[in-house]
């Protein structure tokens, strides 16, 4: 009985430790590991590089979506709009606290949106930078 | 075990009955299309544009669309196979020639379901309803696309399409 109680406490503790890391942190850790493999000199993500990715007019994907800001707007704390008129909640984590909690959702939209803007997938470095940028706002 | 079922059944009957009265009242105008209620469909089909009501297209249209999501009007809207199956089931069950017939039959007049039209905005009845909308209005920066129903139908999210 005592052992059982102790195990329960341990499980609860572990659980809260994992929970406190959060899905976004875990996803960033995964991207960091991949970025390090791609480039051993990788020394961490940069919000500044993420901001540049967000605001640069690449025009390498679809003609009507040259930049992330085309849909997400230039201020990450304001809402954006798709070309078909659907409102998009702000990308800044401070303005949309519920965001980036579902790694599969994040990956799905990186895949779609990087392709629309850059005409290719984003690298783990770019994804990590971008998420660092929006988490810092 | 029989104890909790009884109130549940009664509750469902009550809800079903009032829903019937409610939908009759609204369908009477001929421009009420029940909005998507399934949370998965709302999320996956309602983030780029309004989650279009299932009753606006026949079942065959949705079946075809769901098979071609990787090239969805130029976008990649694909979802994983398990989700796609769920979404297809919802759209097909509530399509304009199946469960949503009471709402969709007017809009689908003159449409052969087997032709599986992909655009609501190309249905003959839709085109007719909108022929008086002037060119400049379609090109207005707040409209831009015919599929942007909410720009003109403020209550489209609620299923209402009178102007």
């Amino acid at each position: 009985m005592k052992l059982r109680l102790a195990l329960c406490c341990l499980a609860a503790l572990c659980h809260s430790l994992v929970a406190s890391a959060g899905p976004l942190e875990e996803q960033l850790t995964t991207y960091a590991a991949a970025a390090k493999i791609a480039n051993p000199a990788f020394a961490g993500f940069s919000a500044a590089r993420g901001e540049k990715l967000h605001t640069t007019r690449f025009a390498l994907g679809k003609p009507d979506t040259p930049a992330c800001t085309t849909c997400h707007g230039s201020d990450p704390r304001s809402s954006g709009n798709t070309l078909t008129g659907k409102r998009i909640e702000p990308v800044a984590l401070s303005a949309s606290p519920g965001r980036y909690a579902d790694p599969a959702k994040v990956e799905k939209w990186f895949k779609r949106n990087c392709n629309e803007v850059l005409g290719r997938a984003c690298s783990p470095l770019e994804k990590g930078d971008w998420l660092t940028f929006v988490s810092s706002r | 075990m029989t104890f909790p079922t009884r109130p549940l059944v009664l509750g469902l009957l009550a809800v079903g009955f009032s829903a019937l009265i409610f939908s009759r009242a609204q369908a009477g105008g001929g421009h009420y299309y029940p909005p998507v209620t399934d949370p998965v469909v709302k999320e996956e089909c309602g983030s780029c544009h309004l989650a279009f009501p299932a009753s606006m297209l026949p079942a065959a249209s949705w079946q075809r669309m769901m098979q071609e999501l990787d090239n969805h009007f130029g976008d990649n809207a694909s979802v994983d196979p398990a989700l796609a199956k769920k979404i297809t089931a919802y759209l097909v069950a509530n399509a304009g020639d199946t469960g949503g017939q009471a709402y969709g039959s007017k809009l689908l007049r003159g449409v052969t379901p087997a032709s599986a039209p992909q655009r609501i905005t190309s249905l003959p009845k839709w085109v007719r309803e909108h022929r008086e909308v002037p060119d400049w209005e379609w090109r207005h920066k707040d409209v831009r696309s015919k599929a942007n129903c909410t720009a003109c139908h403020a209550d489209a999210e609620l299923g209402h399409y009178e102007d």
Side-chain angles (χ1 to χ4, degrees):
Chain A
M1 199 57 201
K2 268 216 181 111
L3 178 68
R4 222 191 190 170
L5 195 70
L7 279 177
C8 279
C9 288
L10 192 67
L13 190 71
C14 287
H15 181 76
S16 69
L17 278 179
V18 170
S20 74
L24 175 55
E25 285 74 12
E26 278 174 37
Q27 194 161 20
L28 280 171
T29 309
T30 314
Y31 287 147
K36 186 99 189 150
I37 290 170
N39 175 12
F42 169 74
F45 294 125
S46 145
R49 279 197 309 257
E51 177 162 23
K52 190 144 178 271
L53 172 69
H54 190 65
T55 54
T56 300
R57 231 187 110 89
F58 293 98
L60 295 169
K62 289 217 243 136
D64 50 356
T65 51
C68 305
T69 50
T70 308
C71 295
H72 290 295
S74 44
D75 178 2
R77 262 172 268 166
S78 302
S79 60
N81 268 300
T82 66
L83 299 180
T84 18
K86 185 83 193 187
R87 188 186 130 94
I88 310 177
E89 295 300 319
V91 284
L93 196 56
S94 64
S96 307
R99 276 208 186 277
Y100 317 116
D102 177 356
K105 177 178 174 188
V106 173
E107 267 295 304
K108 179 177 73 189
W109 287 102
F110 270 136
K111 187 172 148 205
R112 282 178 185 161
N113 296 342
C114 290
N115 206 44
E116 300 226 340
V117 173
L118 297 140
R120 60 165 173 85
C122 284
S123 67
L125 179 70
E126 287 168 324
K127 294 178 194 174
D129 284 344
W130 192 86
L131 286 173
T132 305
F133 161 61
V134 292
S135 316
S136 72
R137 291 308 178 94
Chain B
M1 220 38 225
T2 49
F3 169 62
T5 27
R6 211 178 130 102
L8 183 67
V9 169
L10 285 177
L12 282 177
L13 275 177
V15 169
F17 185 65
S18 51
L20 188 71
I21 304 250
F22 191 55
S23 59
R24 279 264 172 82
Q26 292 186 314
H31 36 229
Y32 175 69
Y33 298 83
V36 169
T37 48
D38 185 295
V40 174
V41 182
K42 237 168 140 170
E43 164 83 17
E44 299 298 336
C45 306
S47 40
C48 293
H49 45 63
L50 168 78
F52 300 113
S55 59
M56 286 191 170
L57 287 175
S61 298
W62 296 122
Q63 265 156 343
R64 182 175 144 206
M65 190 176 296
M66 291 304 296
Q67 274 159 18
E68 299 170 351
L69 280 185
D70 56 334
N71 185 6
H72 178 74
F73 305 93
D75 273 24
N76 185 342
S78 52
V79 294
D80 74 63
L83 274 186
K85 215 171 140 189
K86 261 184 94 170
I87 296 169
T88 309
Y90 173 87
L91 293 171
V92 165
N94 295 285
D97 58 344
T98 58
Q101 197 161 21
Y103 308 101
S105 60
K106 238 166 137 186
L107 189 59
L108 295 181
R109 205 169 288 157
V111 173
T112 319
S115 67
Q118 296 295 286
R119 279 194 183 271
I120 299 159
T121 55
S122 301
L123 300 173
K125 169 83 173 163
W126 192 96
V127 173
R128 218 173 316 127
E129 290 285 355
H130 293 86
R131 77 193 145 196
E132 274 162 32
V133 176
D135 219 38
W136 65 265
E137 225 173 281
W138 293 124
R139 285 200 309 261
H140 191 279
K141 69 171 178 37
D142 291 335
V143 180
R144 289 197 292 199
S145 160
K146 288 182 181 171
N148 185 1
C149 320
T150 27
C152 306
H153 302 284
D155 285 336
E157 295 275 3
L158 301 173
H160 297 290
Y161 290 85
E162 53 270 8
D163 63 343

